Amino acid sequence: MNNESLRPALLVGLTGGIGSGKTTVANQFGALGVPLIDADEIAHQLTGPHGAAMAAIRQTFGEAVIAADGRLDRAAMRKLAFDDPQARKRLEAILHPMIREETERQIAAAAGAPYAIVVIPLLVEGGNAKERFDRILVVDCPVEVQIERVIQRSGLSRDQVLAIIGAQASREQRLAQADDVLDNGGDSILLPAQVERLHTHFLELAGAAGA
């Protein structure tokens, strides 16, 4: 991690593939009082009605990807991005610097905490994960479990879900980057105990880092 002064003693990057349960896990850490910085939530704010990214998105892609209320039409943008990979890159060029800036602002705001968790779905894909974070926590589950969960919650077809998974880092690539792994391939009732153990572990590491 870099030597920024305004930050918690320990900074944990949380990631996982679509349908892995990142949000559920993050919320359980949040319930324990851990500051959460969620890149997806920041992106939703930036692309909501009057969001800071919307003027650039409208200028780049036109009205076809703008919903009636002024927010980004995510379904239209998703279709455009899968049809044209360059469209996805243009969108990322708009959003990623803004997301990074707001992420850093929220990290600085959590400077008094022992540790904070930054939820970034595409953490591994973005590169430099080891430089940006003290620990990388991967929420892991088998690909078939991912597919089943996403189909149930979104109504997307299997082929659509596979296309999304195929655009992300592989399970093996994420695990290769992990310092800590949380198994979410089975019964969700087992999650709280895993989160509690990791919480204790991170507090211990934060104490050592701050000593």
Side-chain angles (χ1 to χ4, degrees), residues 21-42:
K22 296 180 298 297
T23 301
T24 299
V25 170
N27 288 341
Q28 291 188 12
F29 277 104
L32 296 172
V34 181
L36 299 177
I37 298 100
D38 190 325
D40 263 358
E41 184 176 314
I42 293 170

Side-chain angles (χ1 to χ4, degrees), residues 29 36 44 49 57-58 64 68 82 94 113 122-123 149 179 193 200 207 210:
F29 277 104
L36 299 177
H44 276 82
I57 289 173
R58 179 178 276 105
F82 277 114
I94 295 169
L122 301 181
L123 175 60
R149 286 175 179 164
D179 296 296
T200 299

Side-chain angles (χ1 to χ4, degrees), residues 59-205:
Q59 183 176 6
T60 302
F61 299 104
E63 296 297 327
V65 299
I66 310 298
D69 63 357
R71 75 178 67 241
L72 176 66
D73 185 331
R74 290 180 169 268
M77 191 70 235
R78 188 183 303 116
K79 184 179 186 306
L80 179 61
F82 277 114
D83 291 344
D84 176 10
Q86 291 303 314
R88 178 173 60 84
K89 291 180 180 179
R90 291 196 297 272
L91 179 65
E92 289 173 351
I94 295 169
L95 288 178
H96 285 187
M98 292 183 174
I99 293 171
R100 186 71 173 267
E101 181 180 357
E102 177 60 18
T103 297
E104 294 299 332
R105 188 194 70 76
Q106 293 188 26
I107 288 171
Y115 79 95
I117 287 181
V118 184
V119 186
I120 304 181
L122 301 181
L123 175 60
V124 172
E125 293 84 342
N128 301 320
K130 293 287 189 180
E131 297 175 16
R132 296 176 61 194
F133 298 97
D134 302 302
R135 307 286 294 185
I136 297 173
L137 169 58
V138 170
V139 182
D140 180 58
C141 69
V143 172
E144 282 301 321
V145 174
Q146 289 180 257
I147 295 169
E148 181 181 339
R149 286 175 179 164
V150 178
I151 289 174
Q152 286 181 350
R153 80 183 186 199
S154 68
L156 295 174
S157 71
R158 182 181 178 87
D159 285 346
Q160 288 173 313
V161 178
L162 285 171
I164 294 171
I165 291 174
Q168 297 181 343
S170 69
R171 185 184 184 189
E172 292 73 22
Q173 287 171 324
R174 280 190 296 270
L175 291 174
Q177 292 286 312
D179 296 296
D180 306 283
V181 178
L182 194 153
D183 179 5
N184 192 27
D187 196 326
S188 61
I189 199 171
L190 302 175
L191 279 181
Q194 293 188 73
V195 170
E196 287 275 5
R197 283 195 295 271
L198 282 169
H199 178 58
T200 299
H201 181 49
F202 293 151
L203 286 175
E204 290 171 350
L205 292 173

